[in-house]
Amino acid sequence: MRVYFRALSILIVLGSMLAACGAATPAAETKAATPLIISAIPDQDPEKLNRLYPQVAAYLSAELGIPVEYKPVTDYTAAVTAFKVGDLDLVWYGGLTGVQARLQVPGAQAIVQRDIDATFHSIFITNSASGIASIADLKGKTFTFGSETSTSGRLMPQYFLGQEGIQLSDFKGEAGFSGSHDKTIGLVESGTYDAGAVNEQVWKKTLADGKVDQSKVVAFYTTPAYYDYHWVLNPGAVDRYGADFTQKVQQAFFKLDPAKSADKEILDLFGATKFIATTNENYTQIETIGRAIGKITP
Amino acid sequence: MRPSVATTLKPRSLQRRGRSQRRWYGLLFGGLLIWALLTAGIGVDDLINERGWPLTARFLRASLHPDLSAPFLLLALESTLTTLAYAVCGSVVSLGLGLVGGLLASEVWWQTWAGAAAPRWRIRGPLVAIRTLIAVPRAIHEIIWGLLLINIIGLDPLVAVLALGLPFGAVTAKVFADILDETPRDSLDALRNSGVPPLKALVYSLYPQALPDLISYTFYRFECAIRAVTVLGLIGAGGLGYQILLSLQSLRYEQMWTFLLALILLSGLIDVWGTFVRRQYDLANRIDLNTAQLSGCQPRRPRRPASSRLMRGSILGVAGLIPWAFWYIDADWSKLVSPRTWRLLSGVARDAWPPLIDAPFLGQLGRSMSQTLAMSILAMSFAGAVGLLLSFGAARNLVLPGGVLDSTVQRGRGWWRWLIYGSSRGVLLLCRAISEPIWALLVLFVVFPGILPGALGLGIYNLGIVGRLMAEVAENTDPRPLQALQAQGVARPQIFLYGVLPTTLPKSAAYVLYRWEVCIRATVVVGLVGAGGLGRLLTEQLSSLDYHRVTTTLLAFIALTLAVDAVSSAARRSLR
C-alpha cells in the first residue's frame, strides 16, 4: 500500500508542475495580441447577456479593425474592480457603477449611451394583494431593491424614497436585495415582498413579453428622470490604440443602424433605437447621491 | 478503532467535574438559544409568508420535469467538470500549504528544531505566532477571499483557486499540525539521537506514520471543496453554483433542477468514493481527526483491502485528475509573481489600512455581530436537532435488518427499513449538496426576510453535514453494551434510550460545537442574499469599495470567530 501512496505523491507533484507549465504558455500568447476587452455589469438575464455581447464584440472588431474579446463578469463589484486593475477596457456600466469605476481610474471617460439613458426612470411595483397605492403606503410593508449597486434598482429608488419621506427603517424587517430586476419582479409577484423597485426598461420588456401576471403585480410610481447606463472607456486602451480611439469607438456605436438587420439585432437586445454621446459631467447628480447614501466613499 | 469500555471510564472525580461543567454549558446554551430566538423575532413578528407557497409549489413541481434537452445536458456536464476542476486545484493548493504550514504549526517541529534543552519560550513563541497567523485565513470565508483577490489578481481563474486554497490550506495546516503532534515520537527520537538533522528526521519518521490520517483528512477537504466551489461560483468562478444561481435568478426552475441533480450526483459520488477509500484503509473518521483522537495513537488493525483493484483505480484516478484539472482551469500562475500583482497589493494595503472606526459605525457593527451570532446559534441548534434525528435512520448498524433496533423476526420483511435508511441518507445528501445561499434563497420564498431565512439556510446545509457525521458516530459505537441489552431482552425503545443515545450523544454534540465555528464564517454567504448580520454589512461595504470599513468588519469577524472557537473547544473538552 505504501508504494501506492508514494507513487501517488510523486505523481501529484509532477502533475502539478506539468500543468503549471502548460497553463503558462497559452496565456503568454494571448497577451501578445492585446485585444480590446469589453464587459458589462450583470444586470439582467445572463443568457441574454451571452447572446448580446459576443455580437457587440464582433461588431466592434469589424468596425475598429482590432481583436475584441468579451469577458463576462457575474458580480457588479467585480466588474468595477476588474476595470480598476486594468483587466477590462470598455465596460457597459449602470450610472452608479460607472461613477465608481471612473473614480478608481483617473482619466476614464463615459463616452456613449443609449437614447433612453438620458431620461431613465425606475418603476415601483407592488403585489396587488398588499393594498399599496402610493409611496406613503410603503410604511410597515416589506420592500426589495435589486442589486446593491444598481442605479435603477437601488440608488435612485432609495433617493426618491427619501425625497418622499420614507426611510429604510420604515419598512417591515430589512429592505431586501434581490440581486436582479427579474428576481425583484418574481419576488413581488409571489408576495415574498410587498413591493419593489425595478428598472423601467426591464419592466416594460417583461410586460411586453407577457412574462408577468398583471393581476398580481402592478406599477404604482415612476421616479423623475435621471442619467443611467453608459459605456466607460479605460485610458489604458487609449494609450494602446491611439489618441483618437475614443472618437473611433463613439463613431462605431453611432453607426449602428436600425435599418440593417445585424445592427438592429444588437440595438434590440440593448432595447434602444440608437446610441448617443455622453460625458462624465452628466453623472454629477448620481455621484452626489451615491456619496449621500454611502455607496461612494472618498 | 473502537475505544474499549475500560478506556472510556474516567476517575469518579473527573466525571463529576465534567458533569457540573456540562450543566453550566447546558444552561449557557439554553440562554443563548432563547436570546437567539427573540433576536430572530420568533413569537413576536409574523415570519411565515403564506403568499409564497405557490412559488414554492412551482419550484417543487419543476423537480418532476427537469430540463433534459441535449444542449442543456451538455452545459450541465461542462459546468460539473468546471466545478470538479476548481475543487481539485483548490484542494491541491490547500494540501501544499497544509503540508508546509502543518509542520510549522506543530509543537513537535519546534521542539525538534530547538532541541530538548531549549527554554520554553523558544518553542512556545514561534508556535503561538504561527498558530495565530493561520487562524486569520480560516476566519475569512472563501467568497470574501475571492472578492478581495480580484483586487490583486484581476479576472483570472487563479482567483477562485486561491480563494479556495488559502482558507482551506490554513484549516488543513491546523489539523495536520494536530495530527503530527499526536503521532508517536519513538522513531523520531531514535533518528534525532543518531544525529539526523531535524527536517529529515521528521520527514522520515512522523510523516510516514501520519500519512493515512493526512490522506483521510485531505479526502474530507476535497469533499468540502466541491461544496465550497459552488459558493464561489456565485462570484464568477463559474460551474454548477453559478448556473444554479443564474437559473434561480431568472426563475427557470426546470433548468435549475438539472443543475441541482448534477451537483447531487457529483457530491454523492465523491462522498461514496471517500467513504470507500477510508474503509479500505481503516482510516480515522472526521470527528476523531478534529478532536485529535487519532488512529495514530492506537495500534492500527492490519487489514488487507478487499478489492485492491478499485483502490489502484482510485490512485490512478487521482493521478490523472490533478493534471487534467490544472490544464482545464488554465490559470495564469505567472500572476502570482508579476510586478502588477505586487503594485496592486500595495494599493489595496493603502486603501484598507488603517481600519475606520467611528461611533455610528461601531453601533452598526455591534448590532450586526449580535445578529450573526444569533443566526449561527439558531442554525446549529436546528442542524443538530434534525441531524441527530436523521442520523439514526442513516446509521446502518441501527435500523437495517440485523441492526440493534431491528425487531423483525422473519427474514425478508425488512424492506421498509431499507427505505428509512435510504431516504435518511438521501435527505442528508440533498441538504449538503446545495450550498447555504441557495437554501437561504429558497427559504426566502416562504419566510419573511431577516435572520430566520439565513439561519434556516445555514441550518439545512449544516444538518446534511452534521447528520452524516452523526451517523458515522452511531456506526462506530461499541456494539457490546447494545448487544448485552439485546441479549437480556430489553425492548427496542429502551435500547435506543439507554444504549444508543448515551453512547452517541456526547460525540455528536461535540461535532455540532465544532461545526459552529465553521457556521459563523458561513453567515457571510447568507448575508450576500440579504439575511442580515456581518455578511450583509460586509457586502454593502465591498460594493461601496469602502475598504477602510471592510478591514474593521473583517477584524470584528475574526474576533467573533476566535471567540466562538474558544467557547466551543472549552465546551467540547467538557464532553470528553
Side-chain angles (χ1 to χ4, degrees):
Chain A
M1 270 312 106
R2 210 162 271 162
V3 179
Y4 282 124
F5 284 132
R6 200 171 304 153
L8 176 62
S9 46
I10 292 170
L11 276 172
I12 289 174
V13 173
L14 280 180
S16 353
M17 272 157 49
L18 272 176
C21 300
T25 12
E29 276 166 17
T30 44
K31 277 211 188 79
T34 56
L36 181 79
I37 310 289
I38 67 166
S39 190
I41 50 165
D43 67 322
Q44 21 177 339
D45 191 341
E47 219 169 63
K48 192 178 142 190
L49 298 181
N50 288 336
R51 255 185 305 142
L52 169 59
Y53 288 97
Q55 283 189 49
V56 177
Y59 172 79
L60 285 179
S61 181
E63 286 292 317
L64 300 171
I66 49 169
V68 180
E69 203 179 288
Y70 165 59
K71 256 197 181 178
V73 178
T74 46
D75 178 273
Y76 277 59
T77 312
V80 173
T81 313
F83 187 78
K84 179 182 94 177
V85 304
D87 278 1
L88 303 176
D89 295 318
L90 179 66
V91 186
W92 179 245
Y93 280 119
L96 175 61
T97 37
V99 174
Q100 283 184 334
R102 279 194 289 110
L103 290 176
Q104 301 286 323
V105 182
Q109 287 288 329
I111 56 167
V112 186
Q113 63 182 186
R114 299 169 302 187
D115 44 0
I116 53 173
D117 291 315
T119 52
F120 209 80
H121 305 91
S122 297
I123 307 283
F124 283 52
I125 56 171
T126 178
N127 187 294
S128 38
S130 69
I132 295 169
S134 73
I135 291 284
D137 297 339
L138 286 172
K139 277 193 185 176
K141 305 286 185 177
T142 54
F143 187 88
T144 184
F145 293 111
S147 174
E148 274 146 332
T149 28
S150 167
T151 306
S152 52
R154 194 263 168 103
L155 185 79
M156 298 315 274
Q158 188 175 337
Y159 170 71
F160 288 117
L161 278 172
Q163 296 283 303
E164 300 274 338
I166 302 276
Q167 305 305 318
L168 295 191
S169 51
D170 292 333
F171 296 129
K172 177 173 166 183
E174 289 193 31
F177 290 96
S178 70
S180 78
H181 300 292
D182 294 325
K183 191 81 198 294
T184 301
I185 297 173
L187 287 173
V188 173
E189 184 177 13
S190 73
T192 302
Y193 290 94
D194 292 319
V198 288
N199 172 319
E200 178 187 33
Q201 184 209 355
V202 173
W203 174 245
K204 283 183 173 163
K205 185 93 174 68
T206 313
L207 287 185
D209 293 350
K211 279 204 288 195
V212 64
D213 183 348
Q214 291 193 53
S215 67
K216 283 188 182 156
V217 197
V218 284
F220 68 99
Y221 174 75
T222 305
T223 64
Y226 54 86
Y227 280 99
D228 204 346
Y229 293 87
H230 54 288
W231 285 101
V232 177
L233 184 63
N234 201 314
V238 181
D239 292 345
R240 284 210 309 273
Y241 302 110
D244 59 343
F245 189 64
T246 310
Q247 284 75 35
K248 279 188 181 164
V249 175
Q250 281 181 319
Q251 287 307 322
F253 277 106
F254 297 159
K255 266 169 69 184
L256 280 167
D257 183 359
K260 290 186 200 159
S261 72
D263 290 10
K264 186 167 186 327
E265 203 174 332
I266 293 179
L267 285 169
D268 282 350
L269 282 166
F270 267 110
T273 49
K274 63 172 179 177
F275 276 89
I276 58 173
T278 192
T279 60
N280 292 353
E281 288 69 44
N282 287 342
Y283 295 91
T284 39
Q285 187 205 11
I286 300 263
E287 186 176 338
T288 316
I289 296 170
R291 283 188 196 280
I293 287 174
K295 295 311 293 177
I296 297 174
T297 50
Chain B
M1 261 206 301
R2 290 178 187 124
S4 69
V5 178
T7 56
T8 55
L9 286 179
K10 285 184 225 163
R12 195 151 289 223
S13 63
L14 254 179
Q15 273 185 8
R16 208 171 302 133
R17 208 179 67 205
R19 208 176 301 150
S20 82
Q21 268 185 359
R22 245 173 281 166
R23 199 168 300 149
W24 277 113
Y25 282 115
L27 279 175
L28 180 69
F29 167 72
L32 280 173
L33 184 60
I34 291 169
W35 167 77
L37 287 169
L38 288 176
T39 311
I42 287 170
V44 187
D45 305 330
D46 39 335
L47 299 161
I48 302 297
N49 178 3
E50 273 125 33
R51 281 180 285 166
W53 289 118
L55 199 62
T56 315
R58 221 190 98 194
F59 172 74
L60 291 177
R61 264 202 313 277
S63 72
L64 298 179
H65 33 86
D67 188 340
L68 296 177
S69 61
F72 197 73
L73 281 182
L74 208 65
L75 177 67
L77 179 69
E78 194 190 315
S79 309
T80 310
L81 290 180
T82 308
T83 297
L84 180 66
Y86 273 109
V88 171
C89 291
S91 301
V92 171
V93 169
S94 74
L95 181 64
L97 289 174
L99 282 174
V100 177
L103 185 64
L104 292 177
S106 68
E107 198 172 5
V108 59
W109 162 251
W110 292 104
Q111 277 170 351
T112 318
W113 182 256
R120 227 175 108 75
W121 63 266
R122 288 251 335 253
I123 299 163
R124 296 296 299 171
L127 187 66
V128 170
I130 287 185
R131 289 230 155 188
T132 317
L133 193 71
I134 61 170
V136 174
R138 259 190 304 142
I140 300 173
H141 194 270
E142 296 90 65
I143 205 159
I144 302 296
W145 273 112
L147 288 170
L148 293 175
L149 283 167
I150 294 179
N151 280 285
I152 301 165
I153 293 170
L155 290 178
D156 196 276
L158 191 59
V159 169
V161 174
L162 291 182
L164 195 64
L166 289 176
F168 273 42
V171 182
T172 313
K174 179 179 178 258
V175 175
F176 278 16
D178 289 342
I179 293 175
L180 286 179
D181 280 342
E182 296 283 332
T183 307
R185 297 183 190 174
D186 315 332
S187 53
L188 172 68
D189 292 342
L191 283 178
R192 283 295 286 145
N193 288 340
S194 37
V196 179
L199 184 64
K200 218 181 221 174
L202 272 166
V203 168
Y204 280 96
S205 62
L206 290 196
Y207 271 109
Q209 289 183 70
L211 198 60
D213 285 332
L214 298 184
I215 288 177
S216 170
Y217 188 72
T218 307
F219 246 103
Y220 271 119
R221 268 340 298 174
F222 179 52
E223 289 166 21
C224 295
I226 291 278
R227 300 191 259 275
V229 172
T230 64
V231 180
L232 272 177
L234 310 190
I235 59 155
L240 286 171
Y242 170 62
Q243 299 292 355
I244 288 171
L245 184 78
L246 291 191
S247 41
L248 180 63
Q249 294 248 328
S250 17
L251 317 175
R252 284 192 296 258
Y253 300 133
E254 284 79 10
Q255 304 190 347
M256 185 178 170
W257 273 105
T258 314
F259 293 124
L260 284 179
L261 290 175
L263 186 57
I264 292 166
L265 207 65
L266 178 68
S267 187
L269 275 176
I270 287 172
D271 279 11
V272 168
W273 185 25
T275 312
F276 165 77
V277 171
R278 268 191 299 276
R279 286 241 173 84
Q280 287 300 301
Y281 283 111
D282 200 15
L283 298 175
N285 66 41
R286 176 65 170 275
I287 298 152
D288 291 338
L289 286 169
N290 280 313
T291 50
Q293 292 169 347
L294 299 164
S295 49
C297 321
Q298 292 152 3
R300 197 177 292 278
R301 267 180 296 155
R303 189 165 132 183
R304 247 204 93 65
S307 78
S308 58
R309 193 177 297 161
L310 259 170
M311 270 321 283
R312 214 171 301 160
S314 296
I315 288 166
L316 280 177
V318 169
L321 207 56
I322 290 170
W324 166 80
F326 278 89
W327 167 81
Y328 192 85
I329 294 292
D330 193 18
D332 184 0
W333 293 88
S334 67
K335 283 210 167 136
L336 277 183
V337 289
S338 81
R340 187 186 90 153
T341 303
W342 294 105
R343 203 184 63 234
L344 290 171
L345 183 64
S346 68
V348 167
R350 254 198 321 279
D351 284 344
W353 199 262
L356 192 122
I357 302 169
D358 52 41
F361 177 44
L362 268 188
Q364 203 182 8
L365 199 61
R367 262 195 315 282
S368 301
M369 278 172 92
S370 71
Q371 282 183 339
T372 293
L373 192 63
M375 203 193 295
S376 71
I377 290 170
L378 284 182
M380 287 324 296
S381 310
F382 176 79
V386 183
L388 190 68
L389 215 63
L390 286 172
S391 74
F392 296 121
R396 65 181 69 215
N397 61 334
L398 298 183
V399 279
L400 285 191
V404 281
L405 297 181
D406 178 19
S407 54
T408 38
V409 188
Q410 266 178 292
R411 288 241 162 259
R413 293 287 302 275
W415 60 269
W416 59 272
R417 296 182 167 273
W418 281 100
L419 193 69
I420 292 180
Y421 173 77
S423 52
S424 305
R425 286 265 161 185
V427 169
L428 291 176
L429 176 63
L430 178 74
C431 285
R432 64 176 184 270
I434 301 173
S435 60
E436 303 100 316
I438 303 290
W439 276 122
L441 282 170
L442 294 177
V443 171
L444 212 52
F445 283 172
V446 284
V447 179
F448 281 120
I451 297 177
L452 193 63
L456 284 175
L458 286 168
I460 295 173
Y461 172 76
N462 275 298
L463 96 81
I465 293 182
V466 172
R468 168 177 173 231
L469 290 153
M470 288 172 169
E472 233 170 82
V473 171
E475 286 174 359
N476 286 337
T477 44
D478 191 343
R480 285 167 296 178
L482 304 181
Q483 285 159 356
L485 287 173
Q486 217 174 7
Q488 286 165 20
V490 177
R492 312 281 166 234
Q494 277 161 332
I495 295 185
F496 180 74
L497 279 177
Y498 295 98
V500 178
L501 217 46
T503 46
T504 56
L505 210 50
K507 256 195 174 182
S508 298
Y511 200 76
V512 172
L513 282 167
Y514 168 78
R515 195 71 205 170
W516 184 24
E517 183 206 336
V518 183
C519 178
I520 270 271
R521 304 166 67 239
T523 54
V524 166
V525 290
V526 292
L528 283 180
V529 299
L534 281 174
R536 179 83 266 288
L537 197 62
L538 205 53
T539 45
E540 189 74 88
Q541 291 162 346
L542 280 167
S543 73
S544 309
L545 311 170
D546 189 356
Y547 291 110
H548 291 293
R549 282 201 177 82
V550 166
T551 311
T552 319
T553 312
L554 282 181
L555 288 175
F557 216 101
I558 292 168
L560 191 63
T561 312
L562 293 181
V564 162
D565 192 20
V567 173
S568 122
S569 54
R572 266 180 293 162
R573 263 196 302 280
S574 82
L575 285 170
R576 283 213 199 142

